[in-house]
Amino acid sequence: MNIFPGLVADSVVISHNPSDPNDVLIELYGCSPETVTRAVQRAARAQPAWLAVGAAARSAALHRVGDALEAAHEELAGLLVREVGKPLTEAREELTRAVAIWRYYARLPQEAPRAVHEPTSGPGLLLTRRRPHGVAGLITSWHFPLAAPSWNAAPALVAGNTVVVKPAPEATACALRLAEILKGVIPPDVLQIAPGGPEVGATLAGLADVVSFTGSSEVGTAVVCAAASRGVPAQTEVSGHNAAVVLPDANVARAAADIAAAITGYAGQKRTSTKRVIAVDSVLPKLREALRQAFQSLSARDPNTTEAVCGPLISKAARDRVIHARDSALASGAHVLAGDTRGRCEQAAGWYVDPVLLENVPDDHDLNRRRISGPVAVLSKVEDFDGAIRAANSGRCAVVSSLHTSDLEKALTAVDRLNAAMVRVNAPTTGAEFLLPLEREKDPRKVWEKERATMDFYTSTRTVSLLPTVSA
Protein backbone atom coordinates (compact mmCIF):
# COMPACT_ATOMS: atom_id res chain seq x y z
CA MET A 1 0.00 0.00 0.00
CA ASN A 2 1.62 3.29 -1.10
CA ILE A 3 0.47 6.75 -0.11
CA PHE A 4 2.89 8.48 -2.49
CA PRO A 5 4.19 7.71 -5.99
CA GLY A 6 7.88 7.85 -6.79
CA LEU A 7 9.24 5.90 -3.84
CA VAL A 8 12.93 5.06 -4.01
CA ALA A 9 14.45 1.61 -3.82
CA ASP A 10 17.19 2.35 -1.29
CA SER A 11 14.86 2.77 1.70
CA VAL A 12 12.78 -0.35 2.22
CA VAL A 13 10.27 -0.36 5.06
CA ILE A 14 9.39 -3.77 6.46
CA SER A 15 7.06 -4.28 9.42
CA HIS A 16 7.08 -7.65 11.19
CA ASN A 17 4.76 -9.17 13.76
CA PRO A 18 6.92 -9.22 16.95
CA SER A 19 5.24 -12.37 18.23
CA ASP A 20 5.75 -14.12 14.86
CA PRO A 21 8.55 -12.46 12.86
CA ASN A 22 7.75 -14.56 9.78
CA ASP A 23 4.45 -12.68 9.56
CA VAL A 24 5.27 -9.56 7.50
CA LEU A 25 2.51 -6.97 7.70
CA ILE A 26 3.90 -4.57 5.15
CA GLU A 27 6.88 -4.16 2.84
CA LEU A 28 7.30 -1.06 0.71
CA TYR A 29 9.81 1.49 -0.50
CA GLY A 30 10.16 4.48 1.77
CA CYS A 31 9.73 8.01 0.50
CA SER A 32 12.59 9.84 -1.11
CA PRO A 33 13.43 13.38 0.04
CA GLU A 34 11.84 14.65 -3.19
CA THR A 35 8.63 12.79 -2.40
CA VAL A 36 8.51 14.24 1.10
CA THR A 37 9.07 17.70 -0.34
CA ARG A 38 6.14 17.26 -2.71
CA ALA A 39 3.97 16.05 0.16
CA VAL A 40 4.77 19.15 2.21
CA GLN A 41 4.07 21.34 -0.83
CA ARG A 42 0.67 19.69 -1.33
CA ALA A 43 -0.10 20.15 2.35
CA ALA A 44 0.88 23.83 2.11
CA ARG A 45 -1.46 24.33 -0.84
CA ALA A 46 -4.33 22.60 0.98
CA GLN A 47 -3.86 24.54 4.24
CA PRO A 48 -5.59 27.86 3.37
CA ALA A 49 -8.76 26.08 2.27
CA TRP A 50 -8.73 23.87 5.37
CA LEU A 51 -8.44 26.96 7.56
CA ALA A 52 -11.15 28.75 5.59
CA VAL A 53 -13.81 26.09 6.23
CA GLY A 54 -14.00 27.44 9.78
CA ALA A 55 -13.64 26.06 13.27
CA ALA A 56 -17.10 24.46 13.32
CA ALA A 57 -16.44 22.43 10.18
CA ARG A 58 -13.02 21.33 11.42
CA SER A 59 -14.54 20.34 14.77
CA ALA A 60 -17.22 18.32 13.01
CA ALA A 61 -14.54 16.55 10.96
CA LEU A 62 -12.68 15.57 14.13
CA HIS A 63 -15.87 14.22 15.65
CA ARG A 64 -16.35 12.07 12.53
CA VAL A 65 -12.79 10.77 12.87
CA GLY A 66 -13.57 9.71 16.43
CA ASP A 67 -16.72 7.96 15.24
CA ALA A 68 -14.83 6.18 12.45
CA LEU A 69 -12.14 4.96 14.83
CA GLU A 70 -14.77 3.76 17.26
CA ALA A 71 -16.52 1.82 14.49
CA ALA A 72 -13.22 0.10 13.62
CA HIS A 73 -12.26 -0.46 17.28
CA GLU A 74 -11.74 -4.22 17.28
CA GLU A 75 -10.09 -4.30 13.86
CA LEU A 76 -7.60 -1.62 14.89
CA ALA A 77 -6.93 -3.24 18.27
CA GLY A 78 -6.08 -6.44 16.43
CA LEU A 79 -3.73 -4.52 14.15
CA LEU A 80 -1.95 -3.03 17.18
CA VAL A 81 -1.44 -6.49 18.65
CA ARG A 82 -0.15 -7.86 15.38
CA GLU A 83 2.17 -5.01 14.35
CA VAL A 84 3.72 -3.81 17.63
CA GLY A 85 2.97 -6.70 20.00
CA LYS A 86 0.77 -4.63 22.31
CA PRO A 87 -1.26 -6.91 24.64
CA LEU A 88 -4.89 -7.07 23.56
CA THR A 89 -6.39 -5.42 26.64
CA GLU A 90 -3.95 -2.53 26.37
CA ALA A 91 -4.51 -2.27 22.61
CA ARG A 92 -8.22 -1.84 23.23
CA GLU A 93 -7.44 0.84 25.81
CA GLU A 94 -5.26 2.68 23.31
CA LEU A 95 -8.11 2.73 20.78
CA THR A 96 -10.49 4.04 23.41
CA ARG A 97 -7.97 6.78 24.21
CA ALA A 98 -7.49 7.66 20.54
CA VAL A 99 -11.25 8.08 20.09
CA ALA A 100 -11.41 10.29 23.20
CA ILE A 101 -8.53 12.41 21.93
CA TRP A 102 -10.20 13.24 18.61
CA ARG A 103 -13.47 14.07 20.34
CA TYR A 104 -11.77 16.15 23.02
CA TYR A 105 -9.89 18.35 20.58
CA ALA A 106 -12.97 18.67 18.39
CA ARG A 107 -14.57 20.88 21.02
CA LEU A 108 -11.56 22.99 22.02
CA PRO A 109 -11.81 25.72 19.34
CA GLN A 110 -15.09 26.88 20.80
CA GLU A 111 -13.60 26.91 24.31
CA ALA A 112 -10.16 28.36 23.53
CA PRO A 113 -9.68 31.64 25.44
CA ARG A 114 -9.23 34.87 23.52
CA ALA A 115 -8.34 38.10 25.31
CA VAL A 116 -10.12 41.37 24.52
CA HIS A 117 -8.82 44.67 25.96
CA GLU A 118 -9.49 48.36 25.72
CA PRO A 119 -6.86 50.49 24.01
CA THR A 120 -4.72 52.57 26.34
CA SER A 121 -6.37 55.70 24.99
CA GLY A 122 -9.54 56.37 23.02
CA PRO A 123 -12.21 54.02 21.70
CA GLY A 124 -11.57 50.71 19.96
CA LEU A 125 -10.69 47.09 20.71
CA LEU A 126 -7.46 45.21 21.26
CA LEU A 127 -7.73 41.44 20.94
CA THR A 128 -5.63 38.32 20.45
CA ARG A 129 -6.28 35.40 18.14
CA ARG A 130 -4.54 32.08 17.66
CA ARG A 131 -3.49 31.31 14.07
CA PRO A 132 -2.08 28.04 12.65
CA HIS A 133 1.56 27.79 11.62
CA GLY A 134 0.83 26.04 8.31
CA VAL A 135 2.16 22.49 7.78
CA ALA A 136 2.78 20.37 10.88
CA GLY A 137 5.43 17.67 10.52
CA LEU A 138 4.80 14.80 12.95
CA ILE A 139 7.58 12.25 13.44
CA THR A 140 6.02 9.52 15.57
CA SER A 141 7.21 6.36 17.32
CA TRP A 142 5.81 2.83 17.39
CA HIS A 143 4.95 2.78 21.12
CA PHE A 144 1.41 4.13 20.65
CA PRO A 145 0.88 3.82 16.89
CA LEU A 146 -2.66 5.23 16.88
CA ALA A 147 -2.90 7.31 20.06
CA ALA A 148 0.40 9.18 19.53
CA PRO A 149 -0.38 10.44 16.00
CA SER A 150 -3.86 11.31 17.26
CA TRP A 151 -2.77 13.48 20.18
CA ASN A 152 -0.63 15.54 17.81
CA ALA A 153 -2.65 15.44 14.59
CA ALA A 154 -5.99 16.25 16.23
CA PRO A 155 -4.97 19.60 17.79
CA ALA A 156 -2.88 20.52 14.76
CA LEU A 157 -5.78 19.89 12.39
CA VAL A 158 -8.52 21.51 14.45
CA ALA A 159 -6.37 24.63 14.75
CA GLY A 160 -6.24 24.86 10.94
CA ASN A 161 -2.87 23.29 10.14
CA THR A 162 -2.39 20.53 7.62
CA VAL A 163 -0.33 17.50 8.66
CA VAL A 164 2.36 15.21 7.25
CA VAL A 165 3.11 12.19 9.46
CA LYS A 166 6.35 10.20 9.31
CA PRO A 167 5.58 7.02 11.32
CA ALA A 168 8.16 4.68 12.80
CA PRO A 169 8.88 1.88 10.28
CA GLU A 170 7.72 -0.69 12.86
CA ALA A 171 4.25 0.94 12.93
CA THR A 172 3.79 1.73 9.25
CA ALA A 173 0.72 -0.48 8.77
CA CYS A 174 -1.07 1.24 11.65
CA ALA A 175 -0.29 4.69 10.22
CA LEU A 176 -1.48 3.77 6.74
CA ARG A 177 -4.68 2.28 8.12
CA LEU A 178 -5.30 5.48 10.11
CA ALA A 179 -4.81 7.49 6.91
CA GLU A 180 -7.32 5.28 5.09
CA ILE A 181 -9.91 5.94 7.79
CA LEU A 182 -9.28 9.68 7.71
CA LYS A 183 -9.40 9.78 3.91
CA GLY A 184 -13.17 9.53 3.96
CA VAL A 185 -13.52 12.23 6.61
CA ILE A 186 -11.14 15.09 5.79
CA PRO A 187 -10.22 16.71 2.44
CA PRO A 188 -7.35 15.45 0.25
CA ASP A 189 -3.79 16.42 1.28
CA VAL A 190 -4.90 17.73 4.68
CA LEU A 191 -3.28 14.69 6.32
CA GLN A 192 -0.65 12.60 4.55
CA ILE A 193 1.59 9.71 5.58
CA ALA A 194 5.28 9.66 4.58
CA PRO A 195 6.68 6.19 5.37
CA GLY A 196 10.41 5.64 5.52
CA GLY A 197 13.54 5.80 7.61
CA PRO A 198 15.61 8.56 9.19
CA GLU A 199 16.09 10.45 5.91
CA VAL A 200 12.34 10.98 5.69
CA GLY A 201 12.19 12.39 9.21
CA ALA A 202 15.17 14.65 8.56
CA THR A 203 13.62 16.01 5.37
CA LEU A 204 10.26 16.60 7.04
CA ALA A 205 11.88 18.33 10.03
CA GLY A 206 13.68 20.61 7.60
CA LEU A 207 10.53 21.64 5.73
CA ALA A 208 7.55 21.75 8.10
CA ASP A 209 6.33 24.97 9.73
CA VAL A 210 6.02 23.26 13.12
CA VAL A 211 7.61 19.95 14.15
CA SER A 212 6.69 17.31 16.73
CA PHE A 213 9.08 14.41 17.35
CA THR A 214 8.81 11.22 19.39
CA GLY A 215 11.88 9.02 19.73
CA SER A 216 15.42 8.96 21.08
CA SER A 217 17.05 11.80 22.98
CA GLU A 218 19.86 12.10 20.45
CA VAL A 219 17.59 12.46 17.45
CA GLY A 220 15.23 14.71 19.40
CA THR A 221 18.09 17.11 20.08
CA ALA A 222 19.00 17.15 16.38
CA VAL A 223 15.36 17.86 15.43
CA VAL A 224 15.12 20.78 17.86
CA CYS A 225 18.42 22.24 16.64
CA ALA A 226 17.33 21.97 13.00
CA ALA A 227 13.99 23.62 13.76
CA ALA A 228 15.62 26.37 15.81
CA SER A 229 17.98 27.20 12.95
CA ARG A 230 14.90 27.98 10.84
CA GLY A 231 12.97 29.74 13.61
CA VAL A 232 10.38 26.94 13.63
CA PRO A 233 8.72 25.69 16.85
CA ALA A 234 9.52 22.10 17.81
CA GLN A 235 8.53 19.76 20.61
CA THR A 236 9.93 16.36 21.50
CA GLU A 237 8.88 13.37 23.52
CA VAL A 238 11.81 11.21 24.58
CA SER A 239 12.32 8.33 26.99
CA GLY A 240 12.76 8.57 30.74
CA HIS A 241 14.88 6.68 33.27
CA ASN A 242 11.90 6.60 35.61
CA ALA A 243 11.99 5.80 39.32
CA ALA A 244 9.47 4.43 41.81
CA VAL A 245 10.17 5.38 45.45
CA VAL A 246 8.74 3.29 48.30
CA LEU A 247 8.71 4.73 51.83
CA PRO A 248 8.30 2.67 55.05
CA ASP A 249 4.71 3.82 55.59
CA ALA A 250 3.54 2.71 52.14
CA ASN A 251 0.89 0.10 51.45
CA VAL A 252 3.57 -2.35 50.34
CA ALA A 253 1.32 -4.88 48.62
CA ARG A 254 -0.33 -2.19 46.52
CA ALA A 255 3.01 -0.52 45.77
CA ALA A 256 4.53 -3.80 44.64
CA ALA A 257 1.59 -4.54 42.33
CA ASP A 258 1.79 -1.07 40.79
CA ILE A 259 5.55 -1.24 40.35
CA ALA A 260 5.55 -4.72 38.85
CA ALA A 261 2.87 -3.70 36.35
CA ALA A 262 4.84 -0.56 35.41
CA ILE A 263 8.01 -2.61 34.85
CA THR A 264 6.39 -5.34 32.78
CA GLY A 265 3.46 -3.70 30.97
CA TYR A 266 3.92 -3.67 27.19
CA ALA A 267 7.24 -5.45 27.82
CA GLY A 268 8.64 -2.42 29.63
CA GLN A 269 8.78 -0.38 26.43
CA LYS A 270 6.62 2.58 27.41
CA ARG A 271 8.40 5.87 27.91
CA THR A 272 6.78 5.95 31.35
CA SER A 273 7.84 2.41 32.36
CA THR A 274 9.55 2.02 35.74
CA LYS A 275 13.27 1.32 35.39
CA ARG A 276 14.47 1.93 38.97
CA VAL A 277 12.84 0.93 42.26
CA ILE A 278 14.16 2.85 45.27
CA ALA A 279 13.29 1.55 48.74
CA VAL A 280 14.02 3.19 52.07
CA ASP A 281 15.97 0.74 54.22
CA SER A 282 13.35 -0.48 56.69
CA VAL A 283 10.72 -1.30 54.03
CA LEU A 284 13.09 -3.36 51.89
CA PRO A 285 12.50 -6.89 53.32
CA LYS A 286 8.72 -6.61 53.04
CA LEU A 287 8.92 -5.00 49.59
CA ARG A 288 11.24 -7.74 48.29
CA GLU A 289 8.74 -10.43 49.15
CA ALA A 290 5.78 -8.46 47.75
CA LEU A 291 7.62 -7.88 44.46
CA ARG A 292 8.46 -11.59 44.16
CA GLN A 293 4.77 -12.37 44.53
CA ALA A 294 3.69 -9.66 42.09
CA PHE A 295 6.07 -10.88 39.36
CA GLN A 296 4.84 -14.47 39.50
CA SER A 297 1.87 -13.84 37.21
CA LEU A 298 3.64 -11.47 34.81
CA SER A 299 5.75 -13.68 32.57
CA ALA A 300 5.87 -12.87 28.87
CA ARG A 301 3.07 -14.40 26.83
CA ASP A 302 1.11 -14.20 23.59
CA PRO A 303 -0.27 -10.64 23.33
CA ASN A 304 -3.46 -11.89 21.65
CA THR A 305 -4.77 -13.10 25.02
CA THR A 306 -6.66 -10.81 27.36
CA GLU A 307 -4.53 -12.09 30.27
CA ALA A 308 -1.28 -10.89 28.69
CA VAL A 309 0.53 -7.97 30.33
CA CYS A 310 4.03 -8.49 28.96
CA GLY A 311 4.17 -9.39 25.28
CA PRO A 312 7.13 -9.49 22.89
CA LEU A 313 9.68 -6.74 22.35
CA ILE A 314 9.41 -4.72 19.16
CA SER A 315 12.44 -6.27 17.41
CA LYS A 316 15.22 -8.82 17.71
CA ALA A 317 17.71 -6.00 18.27
CA ALA A 318 15.60 -4.69 21.18
CA ARG A 319 15.42 -8.18 22.69
CA ASP A 320 19.16 -8.65 22.32
CA ARG A 321 19.85 -5.35 24.11
CA VAL A 322 17.72 -6.40 27.07
CA ILE A 323 19.34 -9.83 27.31
CA HIS A 324 22.82 -8.31 27.09
CA ALA A 325 22.08 -5.73 29.80
CA ARG A 326 20.54 -8.34 32.08
CA ASP A 327 23.31 -10.90 31.62
CA SER A 328 26.11 -8.37 31.96
CA ALA A 329 24.60 -7.14 35.23
CA LEU A 330 24.42 -10.70 36.53
CA ALA A 331 28.03 -11.26 35.48
CA SER A 332 28.97 -8.12 37.42
CA GLY A 333 27.56 -9.42 40.68
CA ALA A 334 23.85 -8.59 40.50
CA HIS A 335 21.27 -11.21 41.39
CA VAL A 336 17.65 -11.84 40.44
CA LEU A 337 15.11 -10.70 42.99
CA ALA A 338 12.01 -11.44 40.92
CA GLY A 339 11.24 -12.78 37.48
CA ASP A 340 12.83 -15.46 35.33
CA THR A 341 16.21 -15.61 33.57
CA ARG A 342 16.08 -19.21 32.42
CA GLY A 343 15.45 -18.10 28.87
CA ARG A 344 12.36 -20.21 28.14
CA CYS A 345 10.64 -17.35 26.33
CA GLU A 346 13.82 -16.53 24.44
CA GLN A 347 13.53 -19.81 22.60
CA ALA A 348 10.07 -18.92 21.26
CA ALA A 349 9.53 -17.79 17.68
CA GLY A 350 8.71 -14.24 18.76
CA TRP A 351 10.94 -11.61 20.35
CA TYR A 352 10.10 -12.47 23.96
CA VAL A 353 12.01 -11.88 27.20
CA ASP A 354 10.61 -12.71 30.61
CA PRO A 355 10.47 -9.74 33.02
CA VAL A 356 13.17 -9.52 35.65
CA LEU A 357 13.95 -7.29 38.64
CA LEU A 358 17.62 -7.22 39.64
CA GLU A 359 19.30 -6.29 42.90
CA ASN A 360 22.92 -5.37 43.74
CA VAL A 361 23.51 -3.97 40.25
CA PRO A 362 26.80 -2.00 40.21
CA ASP A 363 26.32 1.78 40.23
CA ASP A 364 28.23 2.21 36.98
CA HIS A 365 26.27 -0.42 35.07
CA ASP A 366 24.11 0.70 32.12
CA LEU A 367 20.93 -0.31 33.93
CA ASN A 368 21.69 2.32 36.58
CA ARG A 369 22.93 4.95 34.14
CA ARG A 370 20.48 4.93 31.24
CA ARG A 371 17.13 3.58 30.15
CA ILE A 372 17.03 0.09 28.63
CA SER A 373 13.76 -0.41 26.77
CA GLY A 374 12.42 -3.73 28.00
CA PRO A 375 10.98 -5.57 31.03
CA VAL A 376 14.06 -5.20 33.22
CA ALA A 377 14.53 -2.95 36.25
CA VAL A 378 16.82 -2.43 39.24
CA LEU A 379 16.01 -2.38 42.95
CA SER A 380 18.23 -0.31 45.25
CA LYS A 381 18.24 0.70 48.90
CA VAL A 382 18.62 4.17 50.46
CA GLU A 383 18.83 5.22 54.09
CA ASP A 384 16.04 7.79 54.31
CA PHE A 385 13.54 10.02 52.51
CA ASP A 386 16.15 12.59 51.47
CA GLY A 387 18.32 9.84 50.05
CA ALA A 388 15.35 8.50 48.09
CA ILE A 389 14.72 11.90 46.50
CA ARG A 390 18.40 12.26 45.59
CA ALA A 391 18.47 8.77 44.09
CA ALA A 392 15.32 9.38 42.05
CA ASN A 393 16.71 12.68 40.75
CA SER A 394 20.01 11.08 39.76
CA GLY A 395 18.38 9.40 36.77
CA ARG A 396 18.86 10.85 33.33
CA CYS A 397 15.83 12.91 32.28
CA ALA A 398 13.04 11.20 34.20
CA VAL A 399 9.66 11.62 32.56
CA VAL A 400 7.75 10.26 35.57
CA SER A 401 8.54 9.50 39.20
CA SER A 402 6.18 7.67 41.52
CA LEU A 403 6.09 7.85 45.30
CA HIS A 404 4.41 5.28 47.52
CA THR A 405 3.55 6.59 50.98
CA SER A 406 0.68 7.26 53.38
CA ASP A 407 2.34 10.44 54.67
CA LEU A 408 0.69 13.45 53.03
CA GLU A 409 3.45 15.83 54.14
CA LYS A 410 6.14 13.69 52.51
CA ALA A 411 4.01 13.34 49.37
CA LEU A 412 3.67 17.11 49.04
CA THR A 413 7.37 17.60 49.73
CA ALA A 414 8.25 15.07 47.04
CA VAL A 415 6.03 16.82 44.52
CA ASP A 416 8.20 19.92 44.95
CA ARG A 417 11.56 18.15 45.02
CA LEU A 418 11.34 15.39 42.40
CA ASN A 419 12.78 16.41 39.02
CA ALA A 420 10.21 14.74 36.81
CA ALA A 421 7.62 15.98 34.37
CA MET A 422 4.96 14.06 36.25
CA VAL A 423 4.83 12.87 39.87
CA ARG A 424 2.37 10.11 40.68
CA VAL A 425 1.61 9.40 44.34
CA ASN A 426 0.47 5.87 45.19
CA ALA A 427 0.18 5.07 41.50
CA PRO A 428 2.38 3.43 38.86
CA THR A 429 4.69 5.55 36.72
CA THR A 430 2.70 4.49 33.67
CA GLY A 431 -0.53 6.22 32.75
CA ALA A 432 -0.03 9.78 31.44
CA GLU A 433 -3.18 11.89 31.12
CA PHE A 434 -3.69 13.37 27.66
CA LEU A 435 -5.94 16.06 29.15
CA LEU A 436 -3.04 17.66 31.03
CA PRO A 437 0.24 19.21 29.88
CA LEU A 438 3.39 17.23 30.57
CA GLU A 439 6.54 19.32 30.40
CA ARG A 440 9.96 17.79 30.84
CA GLU A 441 12.19 19.01 33.66
CA LYS A 442 15.56 20.61 32.87
CA ASP A 443 15.43 19.65 29.20
CA PRO A 444 15.80 22.17 26.36
CA ARG A 445 13.81 19.91 24.05
CA LYS A 446 11.11 20.46 26.59
CA VAL A 447 7.75 19.00 25.83
CA TRP A 448 5.08 16.48 25.83
CA GLU A 449 2.41 19.10 25.17
CA LYS A 450 -1.18 18.09 25.91
CA GLU A 451 -4.59 19.74 26.30
CA ARG A 452 -4.70 23.52 25.66
CA ALA A 453 -0.91 23.67 25.72
CA THR A 454 -0.97 21.66 22.50
CA MET A 455 -3.34 24.14 20.89
CA ASP A 456 -0.89 26.87 21.82
CA PHE A 457 2.01 24.91 20.35
CA TYR A 458 0.31 24.40 16.98
CA THR A 459 -0.66 28.07 16.72
CA SER A 460 0.88 31.50 17.14
CA THR A 461 -0.63 34.52 18.86
CA ARG A 462 -1.76 37.42 16.69
CA THR A 463 -2.58 40.73 18.35
CA VAL A 464 -5.19 42.80 16.54
CA SER A 465 -6.04 46.49 17.03
CA LEU A 466 -9.49 47.64 15.89
CA LEU A 467 -9.69 51.42 16.02
CA PRO A 468 -12.31 53.78 14.57
CA THR A 469 -11.47 55.89 11.56
CA VAL A 470 -10.22 59.35 12.51
CA SER A 471 -11.75 62.18 10.51
CA ALA A 472 -9.31 64.27 8.47
Side-chain angles (χ1 to χ4, degrees):
M1 185 192 321
N2 275 344
I3 296 297
F4 303 126
L7 302 180
V8 294
D10 60 352
S11 177
V12 179
V13 175
I14 304 175
S15 178
H16 298 267
N17 179 344
S19 59
D20 179 10
N22 292 322
D23 176 20
V24 177
L25 281 82
I26 200 161
E27 183 171 358
L28 51 74
Y29 292 130
C31 294
S32 68
E34 294 76 18
T35 303
V36 179
T37 300
R38 290 195 294 271
V40 173
Q41 291 170 343
R42 288 196 299 272
R45 289 193 295 268
Q47 192 270 329
W50 175 242
L51 176 63
V53 301
R58 293 193 301 274
S59 294
L62 264 66
H63 273 298
R64 292 195 296 272
V65 172
D67 293 344
L69 290 176
E70 187 173 56
H73 192 282
E74 284 303 296
E75 174 216 335
L76 292 172
L79 181 58
L80 284 172
V81 175
R82 185 181 169 206
E83 185 166 39
V84 298
K86 181 160 287 195
L88 180 58
T89 298
E90 192 166 332
R92 288 170 172 163
E93 291 171 353
E94 178 172 345
L95 259 298
T96 299
R97 172 179 287 198
V99 171
I101 287 167
W102 287 95
R103 289 173 174 166
Y104 175 79
Y105 284 110
R107 71 173 190 265
L108 273 195
Q110 283 72 38
E111 298 178 5
R114 294 172 175 83
V116 180
H117 305 272
E118 282 192 44
T120 53
S121 62
L125 291 174
L126 299 177
L127 58 93
T128 60
R129 297 184 65 187
R130 306 295 303 187
R131 304 295 288 173
H133 293 295
V135 178
L138 311 183
I139 304 168
T140 62
S141 75
W142 51 265
H143 299 81
F144 290 85
L146 295 173
S150 295
W151 67 50
N152 283 290
L157 289 170
V158 81
N161 299 279
T162 50
V163 169
V164 178
V165 181
K166 187 273 175 194
E170 299 90 343
T172 300
C174 286
L176 296 180
R177 184 68 186 103
L178 179 63
E180 284 184 340
I181 291 172
L182 268 65
K183 186 178 179 180
V185 178
I186 60 177
D189 297 332
V190 169
L191 184 141
Q192 301 171 70
I193 306 295
E199 71 285 351
V200 174
T203 304
L204 182 57
L207 294 172
D209 300 306
V210 56
V211 180
S212 175
F213 169 83
T214 306
S216 71
S217 297
E218 295 75 16
V219 178
T221 299
V223 168
V224 169
C225 290
S229 70
R230 298 190 295 121
V232 168
Q235 67 174 6
T236 68
E237 174 190 330
V238 297
S239 303
H241 198 204
N242 308 310
V245 174
V246 184
L247 302 186
D249 54 19
N251 180 327
V252 174
R254 174 182 168 182
D258 285 346
I259 290 167
I263 292 170
T264 62
Y266 196 14
Q269 298 174 111
K270 298 178 186 178
R271 301 185 185 282
T272 54
S273 295
T274 297
K275 297 301 170 186
R276 298 175 295 141
V277 184
I278 299 165
V280 171
D281 191 1
S282 61
V283 79
L284 192 57
K286 189 174 180 181
L287 180 63
R288 280 194 185 108
E289 184 55 35
L291 286 167
R292 288 191 188 101
Q293 295 294 324
F295 265 74
Q296 286 182 357
S297 61
L298 296 174
S299 59
R301 61 178 67 187
D302 183 352
N304 289 284
T305 64
T306 55
E307 298 81 13
V309 173
C310 179
L313 290 159
I314 191 63
S315 67
K316 181 180 182 300
R319 183 187 67 175
D320 290 348
R321 282 192 294 272
V322 172
I323 293 172
H324 173 75
R326 179 198 68 193
D327 292 351
S328 68
L330 293 172
S332 299
H335 67 261
V336 176
L337 172 67
D340 195 346
T341 61
R342 288 173 290 179
R344 291 175 299 178
C345 280
E346 293 158 33
Q347 308 306 315
W351 295 315
Y352 291 95
V353 176
D354 268 323
V356 64
L357 179 61
L358 302 175
E359 201 171 14
N360 294 336
V361 175
D363 289 343
D364 61 351
H365 191 273
D366 267 1
L367 287 172
N368 274 318
R369 294 168 62 89
R370 66 185 183 91
R371 179 183 185 273
I372 302 294
S373 182
V376 57
V378 173
L379 173 67
S380 59
K381 179 183 73 172
V382 294
E383 294 301 319
D384 54 24
F385 174 71
D386 289 337
I389 297 296
R390 287 193 299 270
N393 288 343
S394 69
R396 183 181 177 187
C397 293
V399 172
V400 189
S401 292
S402 67
L403 177 75
H404 299 268
T405 182
S406 59
D407 187 325
L408 178 59
E409 182 177 356
K410 281 191 169 64
L412 294 174
T413 301
V415 167
D416 288 334
R417 292 178 59 188
L418 286 168
N419 294 335
M422 180 166 60
V423 178
R424 292 172 62 83
V425 179
N426 296 323
T429 55
T430 51
E433 295 288 346
F434 75 86
L435 298 180
L436 298 175
L438 184 55
E439 186 170 329
R440 292 179 60 93
E441 288 278 336
K442 299 180 179 179
D443 189 342
R445 293 170 305 244
K446 210 60 175 159
V447 276
W448 255 15
E449 295 281 19
K450 302 292 183 287
E451 199 249 5
R452 295 188 191 280
T454 312
M455 295 291 287
D456 290 343
F457 174 71
Y458 285 111
T459 58
S460 60
T461 301
R462 180 172 296 178
T463 300
V464 181
S465 300
L466 296 177
L467 306 178
T469 301
V470 179
S471 302

